């Protein structure tokens, strides 16, 4: 018998964790001499009060959807892919090569090819840590986090050398051809008579991210491979007894995870910057861990958590612009959300489990 209803695990625990994080954040804001209510109002207005704010919120959320899904898929196999940052960097390289060196007559064809290129490069970068764990027992956390640094160094080498245009000063590729430029949400919504900010970077990659959530749900809960991934994650000895290969599941799961992280690049590299620059990922690979934890590794939960962290990113930028609250405080708030939804999950879970068990005994 489950100790608590499914809805409590999926909705109630994250909600209480968020409220606790909000209370502690309010105390921190009070401690630096600012008004927490005014701070919340500014964040809501800056992130959700205009189509410009929504555009940035959804842009950040799109990045977090891909990296959150990447971590969530790995979690189902009890693998901790902490290398989303490096996989997204290499995904950006895949996008850049596809867009710069292949001619495209239309953005739709370029988008499909860029998504494949980003996914292949991200999957390739996840393959080595996966095979090291499956064959040599190297811990996936150690190898994936070290591969982040290798990816950053490799990309830096390319952007100051082979990929930098002649005569350019900044470490970046040339701007992608106009035919590869993705339509923004303004371009998509304008024919429908819906006004949306031209300046906001949100683009059609947001819809691709939503589609990725649906496809991951189908993969995990409606396919044989998804069943094998979940079975392996629940019990490796039982999965082995059932004829499921640990090596195959480890490698395939990590490559799917790496591909999803790599596909983030169609949003930030192809959709927003329209060229590959240094530090294009901006920490989204690590935020994906928090998004997956908060979303309980379910695609719909990942979607909601990605929107929340997009709100925190954009709202935090507005907060630091219009108040004396430093930008670093938003990192503190994000850390508190991660702390309560991840590391301190049992602090909320255990009392709730006892409460629901007591209700069941009273009902019996």
């Amino acid at each position: 018998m489950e100790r608590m209803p499914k809805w409590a695990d999926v909705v109630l625990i994250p909600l209480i964790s968020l409220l606790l994080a909000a209370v502690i954040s309010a105390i921190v804001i009070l401690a630096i001499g600012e008004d927490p209510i005014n701070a919340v109002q500014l964040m809501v207005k800056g992130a959700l009060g205009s189509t410009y704010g929504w555009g940035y919120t959804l842009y950040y959320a799109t990045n977090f959807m891909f990296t959150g899904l990447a971590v969530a898929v790995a979690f189902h196999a009890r693998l901790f892919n902490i290398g989303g940052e490096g996989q997204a960097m290499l995904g950006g390289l895949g996008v850049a090569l596809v867009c710069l060196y292949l001619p495209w007559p239309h953005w739709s064809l370029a988008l499909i090819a860029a998504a494949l290129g980003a996914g292949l490069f991200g999957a390739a970068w996840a393959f080595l840590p996966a095979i090291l764990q499956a064959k040599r027992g190297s811990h996936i956390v150690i190898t994936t986090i070290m591969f982040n640094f290798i990816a950053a160094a490799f990309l830096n080498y390319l952007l100051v050398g082979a990929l930098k245009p002649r005569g350019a000063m900044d470490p970046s590729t040339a701007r992608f051809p106009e035919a590869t430029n993705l339509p923004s949400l303004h371009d998509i919504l304008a024919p429908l008579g819906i006004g949306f900010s031209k300046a906001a970077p949100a683009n059609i990659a947001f819809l691709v991210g939503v589609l990725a959530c649906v496809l991951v749900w189908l993969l995990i809960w409606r396919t044989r491979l998804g069943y094998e991934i979940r079975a392996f994650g629940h019990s490796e000895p039982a999965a082995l007894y059932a004829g499921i290969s640990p090596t195959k599941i480890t490698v395939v799961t990590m490559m799917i995870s790496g591909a999803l992280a790599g596909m983030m690049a169609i949003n930030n590299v192809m959709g927003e910057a329209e060229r590959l620059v240094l530090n294009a990922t901006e920490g989204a690979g690590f935020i994906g861990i928090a998004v997956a934890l908060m979303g309980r590794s379910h695609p719909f939960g990942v979607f909601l958590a990605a929107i929340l962290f997009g709100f925190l990113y954009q709202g935090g930028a507005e907060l630091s612009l219009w108040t004396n609250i430093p930008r670093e405080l938003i990192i503190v708030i994000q850390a508190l959300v991660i702390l309560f939804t991840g590391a301190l999950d049992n602090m909320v879970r255990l009392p709730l489990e006892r409460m629901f068990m007591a209700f069941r005994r009273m009902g019996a």
Side-chain angles (χ1 to χ4, degrees), residues 156-233:
N156 182 69
Y157 168 77
L158 291 176
L159 291 179
V160 299
L163 294 179
K164 188 173 75 169
R166 185 182 298 274
M169 297 297 293
D170 57 328
S172 66
T173 66
R175 189 166 291 278
F176 299 159
E178 189 174 346
T180 66
N181 294 352
L182 299 182
S184 66
L185 288 189
H186 167 79
D187 300 326
I188 297 170
L189 296 174
L192 303 176
I194 302 173
F196 203 87
S197 173
K198 290 183 179 181
N203 58 80
I204 198 169
F206 171 73
L207 300 181
V208 179
V210 174
L211 177 61
C213 290
V214 175
L215 293 177
V216 168
W217 178 81
L218 290 172
L219 167 70
I220 298 298
W221 280 281
R222 291 293 183 272
T223 67
R224 178 175 177 174
L225 175 60
Y227 174 80
E228 291 179 345
I229 289 171
R230 288 184 288 120
F232 178 77

Side-chain angles (χ1 to χ4, degrees), residues 40-210:
V40 171
Q41 290 174 340
L42 281 172
M43 288 183 70
V44 171
K45 183 179 179 181
L48 309 176
S50 65
T51 58
Y52 175 83
W54 266 108
Y56 270 92
T57 298
L58 294 179
Y59 165 74
Y60 292 127
T62 304
N63 289 339
F64 303 148
M65 270 183 231
F66 284 112
T67 57
L69 288 172
V71 176
V73 167
F75 274 169
H76 281 290
R78 293 288 174 91
L79 297 169
F80 196 174
N81 180 15
I82 205 169
E85 192 82 354
Q87 291 149 17
M89 289 180 194
L90 267 292
L93 178 60
V95 167
L97 294 178
V98 166
C99 291
L100 286 173
Y101 299 110
L102 295 175
W104 299 104
H106 194 264
W107 64 263
S108 58
L109 297 176
L111 174 60
I112 294 170
L116 290 173
L120 285 173
F121 273 64
W125 204 245
F127 172 78
L128 290 173
I131 203 70
L132 286 172
Q133 164 141 336
K135 294 291 189 181
R136 299 294 180 184
S138 302
H139 202 291
I140 202 78
V141 170
I142 303 300
T143 52
T144 51
I145 198 168
M146 293 307 297
F147 267 58
N148 288 335
F149 295 102
I150 299 172
F154 179 56
L155 204 60
N156 182 69
Y157 168 77
L158 291 176
L159 291 179
V160 299
L163 294 179
K164 188 173 75 169
R166 185 182 298 274
M169 297 297 293
D170 57 328
S172 66
T173 66
R175 189 166 291 278
F176 299 159
E178 189 174 346
T180 66
N181 294 352
L182 299 182
S184 66
L185 288 189
H186 167 79
D187 300 326
I188 297 170
L189 296 174
L192 303 176
I194 302 173
F196 203 87
S197 173
K198 290 183 179 181
N203 58 80
I204 198 169
F206 171 73
L207 300 181
V208 179
V210 174

